[in-house]
Amino acid sequence: MSDVRQHADDIHDQFSDHLDVTVEDVEERLRTLVDEYKVPIDEARRSVTNHYLEEADLEREDISRGSSEDVSIEDVDEPEQWIDLTAKVIELWDPRSDAVAQVGLLGDPTGTIKFTKWAKSDLPSLEEGGVYDLRNVVTDEYQGRYSVKLNSTTVIEERDEDIEVGDDTSEIEGALVDMQSGSGLIKRCPEDDCTRVLQNGRCNEHGEVEGEFDLRIKAVVDDGIDAHEVIFDKDATEDLTGLSLEEAKDMAMDALDTTVVADEIADDIVGTYYRIEGPTFGRYVLADDVEELDGPADAEQLLIKARSM
């Protein structure tokens, strides 16, 4: 079975109870995007799924991607994946939206992750200190920080046991050798609890939207042995560069080009040595505490080596 056909089967299974649609219809939509418009298959799948969500008047959380995988928190490194977790509720926070029933922090021996439980999911309440099997939750990402969302398809089972929660804090010392695409002045989806970065004015989930500006850095820091991917959120970026979000917006407006912000930041920080500490989320370290260092004597050689990787 071809890759496109398998994706078509998966999408059809999601919507067969809601729409009168055939696998062939779904496959035709996918092949048009993949073959004619050269859209990557994952992006084509999201686009076709969004089309059927709109047609069926459903939210993404109302459907499942089929079987979910049992994972540890440290393994969560990609958004929009359906997974199973066994985790302890470390802390509950006050929701900032009526659409959210509960929000807080989950933990297992490998680390911690934020969770959101939708009000419309009508799920039982989680209690601080409780340990739960959470089946069929969906992953999300914001500024390198991954989270999980509990929805109407999620199954919650409390476990009569305790688990130890691991420490996921990392410390890196090295040269910031590269700034990745998606850095600088960006726009995010303004829909409640979405915050995905827009691509050409489009959100993968909500389509064309009027985005909200944000500031971030996606960097690569080389410690001489390994290259680490580090996310600086708005506050960390402002502290690191001395450039505020408002100043970045003014800079882009004057130049009629948002890329000048990333260029300005790169000129300021690439090649500089830092000590960075923060939690690890998937493959990213989120910069919470940053200190500029004097680099080693062979700084130039390290930069040459890193840029040739």
Side-chain angles (χ1 to χ4, degrees):
M1 181 183 296
S2 72
D3 192 31
V4 172
R5 180 68 180 203
Q6 181 61 63
H7 283 289
D9 280 340
D10 291 346
I11 295 172
H12 177 262
D13 288 344
Q14 292 175 320
F15 291 98
S16 58
D17 292 337
H18 307 282
L19 294 172
D20 183 16
V21 60
T22 67
V23 176
E24 288 71 26
D25 293 334
V26 180
E27 184 176 7
E28 182 179 357
R29 287 184 178 276
L30 286 171
R31 290 200 179 278
T32 297
L33 292 171
V34 172
D35 295 340
E36 295 186 23
Y37 294 98
K38 308 305 179 185
V39 175
I41 184 61
D42 288 344
E43 177 63 27
R45 175 171 179 151
R46 282 193 291 268
S47 178
V48 172
T49 299
N50 288 337
H51 168 80
Y52 288 124
L53 284 171
E54 183 175 354
E55 186 174 330
D57 194 24
L58 296 170
E59 299 292 337
R60 185 173 295 272
E61 288 74 25
D62 295 330
I63 61 171
S64 167
R65 290 183 66 169
S67 60
S68 50
E69 181 182 1
D70 190 10
V71 302
S72 298
I73 287 174
E74 69 175 356
D75 297 324
V76 178
D77 60 0
E78 188 177 354
E80 299 186 32
Q81 300 297 302
W82 290 85
I83 63 172
D84 298 340
L85 285 176
T86 297
K88 181 176 182 177
V89 179
I90 301 171
E91 188 176 3
L92 293 174
W93 309 320
D94 292 331
R96 293 187 293 177
S97 168
D98 292 340
V100 176
Q102 286 187 296
V103 61
L105 195 65
L106 299 173
D108 73 4
T110 69
T112 59
I113 195 167
K114 176 188 173 184
F115 82 91
T116 300
K117 178 163 71 76
W118 296 113
K120 67 179 181 180
S121 65
D122 197 28
L123 294 171
S125 295
L126 304 182
E127 302 292 336
E128 282 191 5
V131 176
Y132 300 89
D133 286 329
L134 305 171
R135 297 200 298 275
N136 215 37
V137 301
V138 65
T139 63
D140 200 4
E141 179 268 336
Y142 174 56
Q143 294 192 338
R145 188 187 292 267
Y146 290 94
S147 62
V148 293
K149 296 181 178 179
L150 283 58
N151 54 81
S152 58
T153 70
T154 299
V155 177
I156 299 175
E157 293 183 0
E158 187 169 6
R159 300 183 66 156
D160 187 20
E161 63 178 275
D162 197 10
I163 61 174
E164 182 178 350
V165 176
D167 182 7
D168 56 5
T169 299
S170 297
E171 182 177 308
I172 306 166
E173 289 188 14
L176 196 154
V177 296
D178 188 30
M179 222 172 73
Q180 299 174 322
S181 63
S183 298
L185 190 63
I186 59 174
K187 277 192 170 184
R188 295 189 181 278
C189 179
E191 296 294 328
D192 285 345
D193 212 39
C194 179
T195 67
R196 286 178 174 83
V197 176
L198 303 186
Q199 303 294 333
N200 298 318
R202 289 186 59 84
C203 170
N204 284 339
E205 182 168 346
H206 299 103
E208 291 188 9
V209 294
E210 186 64 36
E212 297 178 345
F213 280 111
D214 195 9
L215 196 61
R216 75 168 178 188
I217 296 170
K218 296 176 67 178
V220 177
V221 176
D222 193 315
D223 64 6
I225 300 174
D226 295 312
H228 306 269
E229 294 181 272
V230 181
I231 296 284
F232 297 79
D233 64 12
K234 181 180 78 69
D235 291 340
T237 298
E238 291 178 336
D239 290 343
L240 184 70
T241 64
L243 180 69
S244 70
L245 175 59
E246 291 304 316
E247 290 170 335
K249 289 161 61 176
D250 290 342
M251 184 187 301
M253 185 175 296
D254 290 342
L256 300 178
D257 183 2
T258 60
T259 63
V260 299
V261 176
D263 293 341
E264 178 81 11
I265 292 174
D267 289 342
D268 186 39
I269 67 174
V270 171
T272 305
Y273 275 73
Y274 297 100
R275 177 184 294 112
I276 299 167
E277 185 175 333
T280 301
F281 294 92
R283 70 177 189 269
Y284 293 105
V285 175
L286 187 66
D288 276 353
D289 186 36
V290 182
E291 177 187 0
E292 186 173 338
L293 304 173
D294 293 329
D298 60 350
E300 187 64 28
Q301 288 302 314
L302 179 57
L303 285 173
I304 292 172
K305 169 194 160 188
R307 286 169 177 159
S308 67
M309 292 172 61

